[in-house]
């Protein structure tokens, strides 16, 4: 109960003081202060925001043997993200954001607080830890390249397993969802610029109308999922931003289209992009316009190691928690980049919000804070025990 009260206080501070990706200066300083006061070691890294702390076990039999007979202490990592979103909060909570147009609407404040709770629990258990646990407070998850910064810093080079959490708005409080394989999609974004010829709207034959061509591209793009993708395969193509024209009596010379695609494999993501590029090219030819197409890959799909997913589920069950597999989602998560190099599991905890993630009315129930902290700590400790065996 003491832990829960402390965590609620921590949480409210972070919720009041959200910062966007790569700008999490106050957030990082506050995390640092809490960890330092608790006697937790903070590592030197090249990270400008975010930080990595470390708790090393002192258990005498904490050494495991590597193949060449040398002593090797297992290292695992627990990961949270710390950035907020450019959203005006409309949650109605007393501890709402004090920073204009910035809100912890993805629950990363919940993740930070859970990790701080895990740090407090693990420091009390140092003599029972059979290795080292790195606590990663990652910056800039929401498209700011945070995971790449962490990987480039080399701070995870010796890590054998990594565990990450995310709140689930639609799950009952304290329910844990963990599944093998993909939980989050590979994400790409695209930008299409249609360059035609503007004119007086009364003389369309003197123009080369990019608006009509944009309508054709938007309509044809819908067939990539409905006609080119198996009904048993998940894929999304969403057009989200269209800009062209500025007056009712002028045909513009240019139209911009932006959007995103998502899939659960790299091949599929590449395929979605290829098809869209073909559609752009074909419509450009048939309408006699120049259509420039470009896309960018944001993240690959997450990929939960099956054995570790079962370990995480069992660890949660051992704590008396309700565990379900949950559904994979088409949202992206840069935790996937760690899983390319390190075996890992990304799991969800229910916070029963009336509104979804990235919504101005998102409100996490705070009761699961100590549950999440307890599970993170137990995963770290349990993983070390298994690796030290
Ligand atoms: Zn998010
Ligand atoms: Zn998030």
């Amino acid at each position: 109960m003491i832990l829960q009260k402390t965590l609620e206080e921590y949480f409210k501070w972070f919720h009041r003081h959200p910062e966007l990706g790569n700008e999490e200066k106050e957030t990082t300083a506050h995390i640092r202060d809490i960890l330092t006061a608790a006697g937790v070691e903070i590592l030197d890294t090249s990270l400008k925001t975010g930080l990595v702390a470390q708790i090393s076990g002192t258990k005498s039999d904490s050494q495991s043997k590597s193949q060449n007979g040398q002593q090797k202490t297992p290292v695992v990592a627990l990961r949270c993200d710390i950035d907020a979103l450019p959203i005006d909060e409309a949650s109605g909570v007393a501890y709402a954001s004090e920073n204009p147009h910035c809100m912890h609407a993805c629950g990363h404040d919940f993740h930070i607080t859970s990790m701080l709770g895990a740090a407090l629990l693990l420091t009390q258990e140092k003599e029972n830890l059979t290795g080292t646990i790195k606590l990663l407070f990652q910056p800039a998850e929401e498209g700011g390249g945070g995971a790449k910064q962490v990987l480039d810093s080399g701070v995870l080079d010796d890590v054998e397993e990594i565990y990450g959490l995310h709140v689930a708005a639609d799950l009952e409080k304290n329910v844990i969802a963990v599944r093998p394989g993909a939980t989050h999609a590979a994400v790409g974004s695209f930008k299409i610029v249609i360059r035609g010829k503007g004119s007086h709207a009364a003389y369309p034959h003197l123009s080369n109308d990019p608006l009509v061509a944009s309508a054709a591209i938007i309509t044809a793009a819908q067939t990539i999922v409905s006609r080119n993708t198996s009904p048993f395969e998940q894929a999304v193509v969403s057009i989200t931003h269209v800009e062209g024209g500025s007056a009712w009596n002028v045909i513009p010379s240019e139209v911009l289209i932006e959007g995103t695609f998502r899939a659960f494999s790299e091949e599929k993501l590449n395929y979605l992009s290829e098809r869209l590029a073909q559609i752009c090219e074909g419509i450009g030819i048939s309408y006699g316009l120049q259509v420039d197409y470009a896309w960018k890959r944001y993240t690959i799909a997450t990929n939960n190691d099956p054995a570790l997913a079962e370990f995480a589920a069992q660890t949660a069950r051992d704590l008396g928690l309700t565990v379900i597999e949950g559904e994979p989602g088409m949202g992206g998560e840069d935790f996937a980049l760690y899983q390319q190099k390190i075996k890992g599991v990304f799991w969800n905890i229910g916070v029963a919000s009336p509104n979804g993630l990235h919504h101005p009315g998102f409100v996490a129930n705070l009761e699961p804070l100590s549950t999440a902290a307890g599970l993170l700590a137990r995963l770290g400790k349990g993983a070390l025990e298994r690796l030290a065996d």
Side-chain angles (χ1 to χ4, degrees):
M1 276 327 276
I2 300 169
L3 181 69
Q4 176 66 23
K5 268 194 101 170
T6 307
L7 295 186
E8 287 187 15
E9 262 171 49
Y10 290 169
F11 174 87
K12 287 174 184 172
W13 190 95
F14 289 111
H15 194 82
R16 277 197 175 101
H17 302 94
E19 293 171 294
L20 297 180
N22 294 315
E23 295 171 12
E24 310 96 328
K25 292 210 162 56
E26 274 191 56
T27 307
T28 304
H30 198 59
I31 295 168
R32 185 179 286 272
D33 287 349
I34 292 170
L35 291 173
T36 307
V40 179
E41 180 191 358
I42 293 165
L43 300 176
D44 271 334
T45 68
S46 57
L47 294 175
K48 293 197 174 64
T49 55
L51 62 83
V52 185
Q54 173 170 292
I55 298 172
S56 291
T58 52
K59 198 171 181 183
S60 54
D61 60 347
S62 73
Q63 310 280 294
S64 71
K65 283 203 170 67
S66 67
Q67 276 149 339
N68 59 15
Q70 278 182 336
Q71 295 292 309
K72 186 172 127 287
T73 309
V75 183
V76 300
L78 305 175
R79 175 270 200 178
C80 74
D81 40 16
I82 68 169
D83 55 327
L85 289 157
I87 291 176
D88 288 312
E89 179 157 359
S91 68
V93 296
Y95 48 89
S97 168
E98 291 172 8
N99 297 344
H101 202 49
C102 195
M103 176 192 177
H104 269 299
C106 201
H108 298 187
D109 46 356
F110 187 103
H111 306 162
I112 298 169
T113 309
S114 308
M115 283 276 282
L116 291 171
L120 298 180
L121 292 169
L122 289 165
T123 21
Q124 291 164 12
E125 282 216 76
K126 267 187 166 182
E127 66 277 12
N128 297 319
L129 297 180
T130 52
T132 295
I133 298 176
K134 289 188 173 177
L135 302 154
L136 163 57
F137 296 82
Q138 182 207 301
E141 190 282 325
E142 302 281 1
K148 186 172 182 307
Q149 293 171 31
V150 172
L151 285 166
D152 289 349
S153 79
V155 72
L156 298 185
D157 285 357
D158 57 352
V159 170
E160 290 172 68
E161 292 179 7
I162 185 163
Y163 296 85
L165 82 161
H166 207 292
V167 294
D170 56 345
L171 284 185
E172 290 293 309
K173 62 186 182 192
N174 290 320
V175 170
I176 304 299
V178 56
R179 60 182 299 122
T183 61
H184 286 68
V187 176
S189 71
F190 56 82
K191 186 174 172 178
I192 301 162
V193 182
I194 308 165
R195 299 176 209 278
K197 191 179 159 208
S199 77
H200 195 302
Y203 308 95
H205 59 291
L206 300 179
S207 79
N208 205 343
D209 190 346
L211 278 168
V212 176
S214 75
I217 288 175
I218 292 167
T219 310
Q222 310 310 312
T223 65
I224 300 173
V225 173
S226 70
R227 304 292 88 181
N228 305 145
T229 297
S230 159
F232 296 100
E233 202 177 2
Q234 298 95 334
V236 167
V237 177
S238 286
I239 309 252
T240 55
H241 178 201
V242 182
E243 229 175 280
S246 58
W248 66 273
N249 54 0
V250 179
I251 291 171
S253 59
E254 210 170 277
V255 172
L256 166 80
I257 301 175
E258 286 189 295
T260 176
F261 24 58
R262 279 121 201 274
F264 280 110
S265 71
E266 284 309 277
E267 298 73 42
K268 187 68 195 179
L269 198 71
N270 290 336
Y271 175 77
L272 297 176
S273 176
E274 263 167 45
R275 280 294 296 135
L276 188 56
Q278 284 165 357
I279 286 169
C280 288
E281 199 190 339
I283 287 173
I285 292 168
S286 58
Y287 284 74
L289 301 140
Q290 186 189 333
V291 182
D292 295 330
Y293 169 81
W295 80 290
K296 196 171 141 194
R297 188 189 310 271
Y298 270 99
T299 183
I300 55 171
T302 54
N303 183 17
N304 280 349
D305 181 87
L308 293 195
E310 181 43 40
F311 161 72
Q314 190 54 48
T315 305
R317 279 185 223 111
D318 291 346
L319 290 171
L321 298 169
T322 303
V323 180
I324 60 166
E325 271 217 341
E327 296 287 325
M330 301 310 283
E333 174 51 67
D334 70 2
F335 187 80
L337 296 178
Y338 302 126
Q339 291 176 315
Q340 257 189 327
K341 304 212 159 129
I342 308 163
K343 276 188 192 178
V345 176
F346 196 68
W347 49 275
N348 284 287
I349 181 161
V351 293
S353 168
N355 295 296
L357 298 175
H358 291 212
H359 187 284
F362 172 74
V363 183
N365 185 298
L366 301 190
E367 211 184 290
L369 280 171
S370 44
T371 307
L375 181 52
L376 278 166
R378 192 68 87 88
L379 284 170
K381 182 170 177 269
L384 288 180
E385 279 162 11
R386 185 164 31 72
L387 290 166
D389 248 359

